[in-house]
């Protein structure tokens, strides 16, 4: 397809597509003579991935490039690419202040009660601990039961994420969905949580 068709199908301006190519985010199309350049479905998929990370994930161009480089790394395990994506997509989730040792210990205890292992170096550990600190600083320290219920809900989300990935036919598509799901899944969870809060509020008001 020509760039005009790619732009229409991906809802991306031709000038933006050319910018992504110059920045190394999008592979160049195939020159077929004169000023004509052909693009394939892989370019359309890559464009949608780039836009998800930029517009929903709010990543910088440099961070997007890091994720895409990991995605394109030959024979890289999916876990490696997923880790790169998690790191990039999670940096802006909470303020940059270091979490307190006490909150880190509480999150480690949550993981232990949930039966989770291997989380010591996961970016989510610091994020969760910072949130615990923020609640405490706001005058609303979180009880263990609250944290345990959030952990249980997070496990359900994770099972849904990986279940969707597992049915895809090849490693490349699996990795793409893991990246997109990391970006969009947080927003999906936020939207459904807002809806559920309204429903539960009304149910408790009526009971």
């Amino acid at each position: 397809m020509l760039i005009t068709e790619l732009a229409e199908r991906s809802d991306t301006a031709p000038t933006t597509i050319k910018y992504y190519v110059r920045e190394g985010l999008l592979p160049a199309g195939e020159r077929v003579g004169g000023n004509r350049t052909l693009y394939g479905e892989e370019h359309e998929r890559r464009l949608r991935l780039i836009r998800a990370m930029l517009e929903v994930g709010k990543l910088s161009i440099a961070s997007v490039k890091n994720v895409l480089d990991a995605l394109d790394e030959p024979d890289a395990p999916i876990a490696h690419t997923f880790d790169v994506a998690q790191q990039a997509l999670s940096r802006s989730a909470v303020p940059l202040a270091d979490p307190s040792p006490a909150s880190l210990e509480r999150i480690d205890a949550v993981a232990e009660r949930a039966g989770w292992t291997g989380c010591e170096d996961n970016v989510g550990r610091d994020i969760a601990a910072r949130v615990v600190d923020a609640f405490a600083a706001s005058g609303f320290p979180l009880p263990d039961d609250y944290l345990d219920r959030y952990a249980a809900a997070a496990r359900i989300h994770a099972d849904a994420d990986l279940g969707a990935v597992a049915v895809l036919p090849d490693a490349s598509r699996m990795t793409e969905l893991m990246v997109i799901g990391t970006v969009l899944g947080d927003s999906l969870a936020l939207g459904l949580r807002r809806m559920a809060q309204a429903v539960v509020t009304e149910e408790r008001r009526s009971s």
Side-chain angles (χ1 to χ4, degrees):
M1 73 186 85
L2 296 174
I3 193 171
T4 51
E5 183 181 354
L6 177 62
E8 182 177 350
R9 290 177 57 167
S10 65
D11 195 26
T12 307
T15 53
T16 302
I17 293 174
K18 293 177 181 178
Y19 170 70
Y20 293 159
V21 172
R22 289 197 305 272
E23 291 296 318
L25 304 181
L26 187 71
E30 178 186 357
R31 291 276 186 171
V32 293
N35 291 324
R36 300 179 68 223
T37 303
L38 294 181
Y39 299 88
E41 291 185 358
E42 68 278 6
H43 291 92
E44 183 180 355
R45 288 200 305 268
R46 177 60 65 94
L47 272 173
R48 296 188 189 282
L49 178 58
I50 292 168
R51 292 191 59 184
M53 288 191 284
L54 289 172
E55 297 171 15
V56 181
K58 306 301 182 185
L59 297 188
S60 66
I61 291 291
S63 293
V64 170
K65 192 170 189 311
N66 286 339
V67 175
L68 294 176
D69 286 345
L71 182 64
D72 293 336
E73 187 177 333
D75 301 321
I78 290 176
H80 168 67
T81 305
F82 194 33
D83 181 62
V84 173
Q86 278 192 324
Q87 295 285 341
L89 295 164
S90 301
R91 286 191 187 109
S92 61
V94 292
L96 295 178
D98 290 336
S100 69
S103 289
L104 287 171
E105 287 181 7
R106 291 198 65 196
I107 295 304
D108 289 342
V110 171
E112 183 176 356
R113 290 193 297 271
W116 299 350
T117 59
C119 298
E120 295 82 4
D121 296 325
N122 189 278
V123 65
R125 178 175 179 261
D126 279 2
I127 291 174
R130 289 170 185 155
V131 172
V132 170
D133 284 334
F135 266 97
S138 300
F140 295 95
L142 296 177
D144 287 343
D145 177 65
Y146 184 98
L147 294 173
D148 290 341
R149 295 176 74 178
Y150 258 76
R155 177 57 189 253
I156 293 173
H157 291 171
D159 282 336
D161 291 339
L162 274 296
V165 167
V167 300
L168 293 176
D170 61 81
S172 176
R173 292 289 285 157
M174 290 171 68
T175 305
E176 287 180 10
L177 180 57
M178 291 177 82
V179 173
I180 293 172
T182 301
V183 177
L184 299 181
D186 288 346
S187 296
L188 176 61
L190 175 63
L192 292 175
R193 179 169 171 250
R194 293 289 183 270
M195 295 167 63
Q197 286 173 334
V199 170
V200 172
T201 299
E202 185 59 32
E203 289 174 349
R204 294 192 176 192
R205 181 183 300 146
S206 302
S207 62

